[in-house]
Amino acid sequence: MTIAARADARHNRARVLEAAQEAFAAEGLSVPLDVIARRAGVGAGTVYRHFPSKEALFEAVVHDRIERLADELTALLATPEAATGEAFFTAFSSTVEQAGFNKALCESFVSTPKAEVAPEARRRYGIALAALLDRAHQAGAVRPDAQISDVMALMAGCVAMEAHSATPGRATTLVLDGLRTGHSPLPTVTKHVTKPGYRNETREDPAARCEECGTAIPTSRTGRPPRFCGGACRQKAHRRRATG
Amino acid sequence: MTIAARADARHNRARVLEAAQEAFAAEGLSVPLDVIARRAGVGAGTVYRHFPSKEALFEAVVHDRIERLADELTALLATPEAATGEAFFTAFSSTVEQAGFNKALCESFVSTPKAEVAPEARRRYGIALAALLDRAHQAGAVRPDAQISDVMALMAGCVAMEAHSATPGRATTLVLDGLRTGHSPLPTVTKHVTKPGYRNETREDPAARCEECGTAIPTSRTGRPPRFCGGACRQKAHRRRATG
Amino acid sequence: MTIAARADARHNRARVLEAAQEAFAAEGLSVPLDVIARRAGVGAGTVYRHFPSKEALFEAVVHDRIERLADELTALLATPEAATGEAFFTAFSSTVEQAGFNKALCESFVSTPKAEVAPEARRRYGIALAALLDRAHQAGAVRPDAQISDVMALMAGCVAMEAHSATPGRATTLVLDGLRTGHSPLPTVTKHVTKPGYRNETREDPAARCEECGTAIPTSRTGRPPRFCGGACRQKAHRRRATG
Amino acid sequence: MTIAARADARHNRARVLEAAQEAFAAEGLSVPLDVIARRAGVGAGTVYRHFPSKEALFEAVVHDRIERLADELTALLATPEAATGEAFFTAFSSTVEQAGFNKALCESFVSTPKAEVAPEARRRYGIALAALLDRAHQAGAVRPDAQISDVMALMAGCVAMEAHSATPGRATTLVLDGLRTGHSPLPTVTKHVTKPGYRNETREDPAARCEECGTAIPTSRTGRPPRFCGGACRQKAHRRRATG
DNA sequence: GATGAATGAGAATTCATTCAT
DNA sequence: GATGAATGAATTCTCATTCAT
């Protein structure tokens, strides 16, 4: 009985979280709680049983989201790209992109509320990102004076930038170039995509892929189309051809 | 006669604008209009006489602010630094810094509302900034593929970044370095700045008392006011009622 | 100077009255005073100089309107139709019709405010109508127990009725038939007319005219089309034909 | 459990409806919603939980009222008087009388709002009335060219008439006589009826005092509160200010 | 005497939060 | 433990009326 009840309660909690996830992602903090409760198929009181306030629910949602991002980063740490520092840039871009699709995440990054939202998860995320940054530093891919706190701030900024840029990824690329040791070409607008949920901004083609490592490469409409993500891969491919 | 009356009204209008300026700068769009009216020392109706809606007032405030920034930029164009491209960087930083102290400006930069706020002023500002950017391009101080739209997006991002960074100017410097041809050292001064006008968020209510046990109960400004300190007392009171 | 000023003031008063006339006619009491003042090309204060309150202005407007109706009635008293009692019916219908086009008049007839609107004019109007009623009584055209107070009430009702009837004049005809010694055929809908100002109801053809006296005659779609407004005119025409 | 909760809500809903019933009956649509809520002993939010807007509440009240009238008419259809046509006249008079005591009903009958109020109930009512009219036609008690739409319009008018007539029922009798084949004597009893619920319109404000001479000044509920008893004192105060 | 700016009490509606069932 | 009904402060905007110029 008790166990069943508990299972039930856990189930309800999960439903509320999921509904809140969607609602907050689509509309941000401004969704009324009733709406979330109704979408979750529970009463408003039930929401309050599990989360002491609306802010707490929001925090839980954001926490959950950032945890996933942290997991993603941890996974990236184990890839070979971590060593070259590329994993750091991938992580950065991915976070920014996801926040672009999720108003809750976006608000939690951009706004400066009284107290930081989901500090726990944010710390875990920060640690993972710091590890990637460290690797990138070791690889010399990132300017040495850039600290993790800088990176976190830049990230918040990039989320805001992307919301103001017609070409997704362009602003982030620019910012990342400020972190890199060298510059990379900027992406350009290619076509319009309607995003699910809340943002209607322009999105481009599925990016071309590096022939060597498969990394997405931003394409420009003019000039010779790029085949590699950078000099390293071009060199590698050249060696292979020469060897082949 | 008429002119005198108008002078009076102009005066009042100015007071309203000023009060709105401060209030919006301190709290953003969320300040109630009554508060602005009271701070201006006028009735709510007077605010509405001069500005047809709260949004219009906000827009006026932002417009005013951006106009000043545009003036600043125009002045910079005439300085010798314009030729070296340094004026562009100064303009960028200055705008970001000012937005950091002004929540209205900040919101107008960072948020993506349905319709852009104060498009007129923003256009004027954009033209001035584009001119500075052009000079910087000619001087070779800025990477050639960076366009004015990129710069505007970066600016929005920097405003958000600065709100998240303990060291003012550091994030912006990083971003600007992404625009520069070469890198510059990052600022490291970690001074704590209290933004002028941002008000205390804590509110003290005369705590309510539990009807059952008299314990003080913390009240929130919204929602149904609590009558009991918890479920136990509520239950007790309920039993008493049922018995009575 | 003083005389000029007075002329000016009188002029202003007239303009206010006219503007109020139109505004109240089109929208009823709900028009804001500012609107009236602006339409009159004067300040709100000027309106108040001439009329101590909005209600007083409304009253003045209605007074003016009812005075004109009273004049109309007085004129009718001098016509030969007064003797047959037809003038009474014409007066009744005319008032109702005019109220239908004038929301101020309409409201002043239909509503039951704390104090009656424009009692002076209403009394004068009542006296004129009573005279017509008297004649109609003498002619035996109206049922003998119908008093002037009944007629006033019926009139208020007819104004309301017409606002609810698709066929203008139909309800009024029915009511008047309750007053008449005999019945007359009811009018039927014929085509749609857009009324100037405030009401968009169905209106019919320009009513046919009596061949003898030119009075409008309500037509029914079936049956022999009427040539005269009543037996009196038919008789008269017959005599003329016989003589001719 | 659920049922109990619903019973409670139903109870509250009923209280709100009842309070609205009374309030609207006494004052029409102009009653503030807060007043209704307070009379019902609930919060404003509770009213909005049950009825999405003030208009919806008004509609519900009117709907309810008209449904009762429709029931009444349906009952009359089964009486022997239906065959003679008398039931039709009874129905008509009864509706008019009830509307006379109910400002909500009255307004819903007399006014011509954008959209008709409670069209459903009105249709049901219309059908019942049409059936009675049909019987009356068959009995030859009503003039044959009178249609149901005429009757509805007449009814609206009679409601307005009764509000203007000192003798209840007199105007209605007159109108009904226009529908009848023969005339009937008019009622002459002149009793004074105090409509239940209609509240006193006078309000007593603690009179303000002139800042200059201390005379009591009558205040109106709207508009800028007066500071002086007249222009003389205002002028005097002004001079003092200018001098000071 | 004219002007139109200022006043401020409402009024409708929303929604976070508690409570009765 | 769940439910969803109740609460009521807060907010935006309107407009009749007075007042400073």
Side-chain angles (χ1 to χ4, degrees):
Chain A
M1 205 71 185
T2 319
I3 293 169
R6 274 187 192 161
D8 219 53
R10 256 203 310 274
H11 181 227
N12 261 345
R13 198 193 130 97
R15 286 175 71 189
V16 168
L17 249 187
E18 197 182 352
Q21 185 69 253
E22 284 173 27
F24 283 142
E27 317 236 9
L29 241 184
S30 70
V31 209
L33 243 174
D34 296 23
V35 171
I36 293 173
R38 218 172 310 133
R39 280 203 207 175
V42 304
T46 306
V47 175
Y48 271 87
R49 176 161 303 278
H50 292 296
F51 305 94
S53 72
K54 193 188 182 182
E55 290 204 344
L57 176 57
F58 185 77
E59 178 133 10
V61 162
V62 170
H63 180 95
D64 185 77
R65 230 52 188 171
I66 295 182
E67 286 267 288
R68 294 195 198 187
L69 290 175
D71 290 348
E72 214 178 273
L73 264 56
T74 308
L76 276 172
L77 247 185
T79 62
E81 282 76 29
T84 67
E86 266 318 297
F88 166 73
F89 294 106
T90 307
F92 192 105
S93 301
S94 171
T95 295
V96 170
E97 192 188 1
Q98 286 181 58
F101 285 97
N102 190 314
K103 222 166 174 179
L105 214 44
C106 182
E107 287 180 2
S108 87
F109 269 108
V110 172
S111 73
T112 329
K114 302 137 209 171
E116 205 183 31
V117 178
E120 289 281 307
R122 209 169 286 272
R123 209 167 305 129
R124 231 200 94 206
Y125 175 87
I127 289 169
L129 187 60
L132 284 166
L133 175 63
D134 210 43
R135 295 292 200 89
H137 271 146
Q138 285 165 19
V142 169
R143 55 188 284 182
D145 52 358
Q147 299 164 6
I148 181 64
S149 60
D150 297 323
V151 171
M152 296 295 270
L154 287 178
M155 201 171 261
C158 284
V159 170
M161 284 172 195
E162 292 297 331
H164 282 258
S165 166
T167 314
R170 206 177 144 96
T172 303
T173 302
L174 261 167
V175 169
L176 288 183
D177 281 357
L179 286 176
R180 277 181 212 278
T181 315
H183 283 176
S184 52
L186 299 184
T188 52
V189 190
T190 344
K191 105 183 183 206
H192 283 248
V193 177
T194 309
K195 282 209 232 166
Y198 91 90
R199 207 164 89 185
N200 275 7
E201 249 85 280
T202 53
R203 285 276 150 177
E204 70 173 6
D205 263 351
R209 298 281 165 184
C210 171
E211 291 184 6
E212 191 58 29
C213 70
T215 309
I217 320 172
T219 47
S220 75
R221 201 141 43 199
T222 57
R224 182 173 180 171
R227 295 173 56 197
F228 304 101
C229 61
C233 277
R234 179 155 50 242
Q235 195 55 244
K236 231 198 263 183
H238 179 57
R239 274 197 300 274
R240 180 172 301 160
R241 257 177 277 142
T243 319
Chain B
M1 213 85 181
T2 319
I3 293 168
R6 278 196 188 149
D8 215 53
R10 256 204 309 274
H11 179 228
N12 252 341
R13 195 193 132 100
R15 284 177 73 192
V16 168
L17 249 186
E18 198 183 352
Q21 186 70 255
E22 282 172 27
F24 283 142
E27 314 221 25
L29 240 185
S30 70
V31 210
L33 245 174
D34 295 21
V35 171
I36 293 174
R38 218 172 310 132
R39 283 203 205 174
V42 302
T46 303
V47 177
Y48 277 91
R49 162 172 288 274
H50 291 295
F51 306 94
S53 71
K54 191 187 181 183
E55 291 205 343
L57 177 56
F58 185 77
E59 179 133 9
V61 163
V62 170
H63 179 95
D64 186 77
R65 232 50 188 173
I66 295 183
E67 287 266 289
R68 294 195 196 185
L69 290 175
D71 290 347
E72 214 178 274
L73 265 55
T74 306
L76 276 173
L77 247 185
T79 62
E81 282 77 27
T84 68
E86 263 320 293
F88 166 74
F89 293 106
T90 307
F92 192 106
S93 300
S94 172
T95 296
V96 170
E97 192 187 2
Q98 288 181 55
F101 286 97
N102 190 314
K103 222 169 176 179
L105 212 45
C106 181
E107 286 181 3
S108 87
F109 270 108
V110 172
S111 75
T112 330
K114 298 136 208 171
E116 210 185 25
V117 178
E120 289 282 306
R122 207 169 287 273
R123 211 167 304 132
R124 232 199 94 206
Y125 176 86
I127 288 169
L129 186 61
L132 285 166
L133 176 62
D134 210 41
R135 295 292 200 88
H137 271 145
Q138 285 166 18
V142 170
R143 56 188 285 182
D145 52 357
Q147 300 163 5
I148 180 66
S149 60
D150 297 323
V151 172
M152 296 296 271
L154 287 178
M155 200 171 260
C158 284
V159 170
M161 284 171 194
E162 292 298 332
H164 283 258
S165 165
T167 314
R170 204 177 145 95
T172 301
T173 302
L174 260 168
V175 168
L176 288 183
D177 280 356
L179 284 177
R180 277 180 210 277
T181 316
H183 283 175
S184 52
L186 299 184
T188 49
V189 196
T190 309
K191 70 177 165 202
H192 225 24
V193 181
T194 309
K195 302 208 175 164
Y198 282 68
R199 96 180 162 190
N200 264 2
E201 296 292 345
T202 52
R203 294 235 173 164
E204 272 310 299
D205 284 316
R209 298 277 166 186
C210 173
E211 292 185 3
E212 193 59 31
C213 68
T215 308
I217 321 170
T219 46
S220 78
R221 205 155 37 208
T222 60
R224 184 174 187 165
R227 296 174 51 201
F228 304 102
C229 61
C233 279
R234 176 157 53 243
Q235 196 56 242
K236 232 197 265 184
H238 179 54
R239 272 197 300 273
R240 179 170 303 159
R241 256 176 279 148
T243 318
Chain C
M1 203 72 185
T2 320
I3 293 171
R6 272 188 194 162
D8 219 52
R10 254 203 311 275
H11 180 228
N12 263 345
R13 199 193 128 98
R15 287 175 71 190
V16 168
L17 249 187
E18 198 182 353
Q21 185 68 254
E22 284 171 29
F24 284 142
E27 317 235 9
L29 242 183
S30 69
V31 210
L33 242 173
D34 297 21
V35 171
I36 294 173
R38 219 171 310 134
R39 282 203 207 175
V42 303
T46 306
V47 176
Y48 272 87
R49 175 161 304 277
H50 291 295
F51 306 94
S53 72
K54 192 188 182 183
E55 291 204 343
L57 176 57
F58 185 76
E59 180 133 8
V61 163
V62 170
H63 180 93
D64 185 77
R65 230 51 189 171
I66 295 182
E67 286 267 288
R68 295 193 197 188
L69 290 175
D71 289 348
E72 215 177 275
L73 264 54
T74 308
L76 276 174
L77 247 184
T79 62
E81 284 75 29
T84 66
E86 268 317 297
F88 166 74
F89 294 106
T90 306
F92 192 106
S93 301
S94 171
T95 295
V96 170
E97 192 188 359
Q98 287 181 56
F101 285 97
N102 191 314
K103 221 168 177 178
L105 216 42
C106 182
E107 287 180 3
S108 87
F109 270 107
V110 171
S111 73
T112 330
K114 302 136 208 173
E116 207 184 29
V117 178
E120 289 282 309
R122 209 170 286 272
R123 211 168 300 131
R124 232 201 93 206
Y125 176 87
I127 289 169
L129 187 61
L132 285 167
L133 176 62
D134 209 40
R135 296 291 199 89
H137 271 146
Q138 285 166 19
V142 169
R143 55 187 287 181
D145 53 357
Q147 300 163 6
I148 181 63
S149 59
D150 297 323
V151 171
M152 296 294 271
L154 287 178
M155 201 171 261
C158 284
V159 170
M161 283 170 196
E162 292 297 332
H164 282 259
S165 166
T167 313
R170 207 178 142 95
T172 303
T173 303
L174 261 166
V175 168
L176 288 183
D177 280 357
L179 285 176
R180 276 180 212 277
T181 316
H183 283 177
S184 52
L186 299 183
T188 51
V189 190
T190 345
K191 103 179 187 209
H192 284 247
V193 177
T194 308
K195 283 208 234 165
Y198 90 92
R199 210 165 86 187
N200 276 7
E201 250 87 279
T202 55
R203 285 275 151 177
E204 70 171 9
D205 262 353
R209 297 282 164 184
C210 172
E211 293 184 4
E212 190 57 28
C213 70
T215 308
I217 321 171
T219 45
S220 76
R221 201 143 41 197
T222 58
R224 181 173 178 170
R227 295 175 53 199
F228 304 101
C229 64
C233 278
R234 180 156 49 241
Q235 195 54 246
K236 232 197 266 183
H238 180 57
R239 272 197 301 275
R240 178 170 305 159
R241 256 175 278 143
T243 318
Chain D
M1 212 84 180
T2 319
I3 293 169
R6 277 192 189 152
D8 215 54
R10 256 203 310 272
H11 179 229
N12 252 340
R13 197 194 131 99
R15 286 176 71 190
V16 168
L17 250 186
E18 200 182 351
Q21 186 70 255
E22 282 172 28
F24 283 142
E27 314 221 25
L29 241 185
S30 69
V31 211
L33 244 174
D34 296 20
V35 171
I36 294 174
R38 219 172 309 132
R39 282 204 206 175
V42 303
T46 304
V47 176
Y48 276 90
R49 163 171 287 274
H50 291 296
F51 305 94
S53 72
K54 193 188 182 184
E55 292 205 342
L57 176 57
F58 185 76
E59 179 133 9
V61 163
V62 170
H63 180 94
D64 186 76
R65 232 49 188 172
I66 296 183
E67 286 265 290
R68 293 193 197 188
L69 290 174
D71 290 348
E72 214 177 274
L73 265 55
T74 307
L76 276 173
L77 247 185
T79 62
E81 282 76 27
T84 68
E86 265 319 294
F88 166 74
F89 294 105
T90 307
F92 192 107
S93 301
S94 170
T95 294
V96 170
E97 192 188 0
Q98 288 181 56
F101 285 97
N102 190 315
K103 221 168 177 179
L105 214 43
C106 182
E107 287 182 1
S108 88
F109 269 108
V110 170
S111 74
T112 329
K114 299 137 209 169
E116 208 184 27
V117 179
E120 290 280 308
R122 207 169 286 273
R123 212 169 301 133
R124 233 199 94 206
Y125 177 86
I127 288 169
L129 186 62
L132 285 166
L133 175 62
D134 210 40
R135 295 292 201 89
H137 270 147
Q138 284 167 20
V142 169
R143 56 188 285 182
D145 53 357
Q147 299 164 6
I148 178 67
S149 59
D150 297 323
V151 172
M152 296 295 272
L154 288 177
M155 200 170 260
C158 285
V159 169
M161 285 171 194
E162 292 297 333
H164 282 258
S165 167
T167 314
R170 207 177 142 94
T172 301
T173 303
L174 260 168
V175 169
L176 288 183
D177 280 356
L179 285 177
R180 276 181 213 277
T181 315
H183 283 174
S184 52
L186 299 183
T188 51
V189 198
T190 309
K191 70 178 170 203
H192 225 23
V193 181
T194 309
K195 304 212 171 164
Y198 283 68
R199 94 176 165 194
N200 265 1
E201 296 293 348
T202 54
R203 292 234 174 166
E204 273 309 298
D205 284 316
R209 298 277 166 187
C210 173
E211 293 185 2
E212 193 59 30
C213 69
T215 308
I217 321 171
T219 46
S220 78
R221 204 152 41 209
T222 59
R224 183 174 187 164
R227 296 174 52 200
F228 303 103
C229 61
C233 279
R234 176 157 54 244
Q235 195 56 244
K236 230 196 267 183
H238 180 54
R239 272 197 300 273
R240 177 170 304 159
R241 257 175 278 146
T243 317

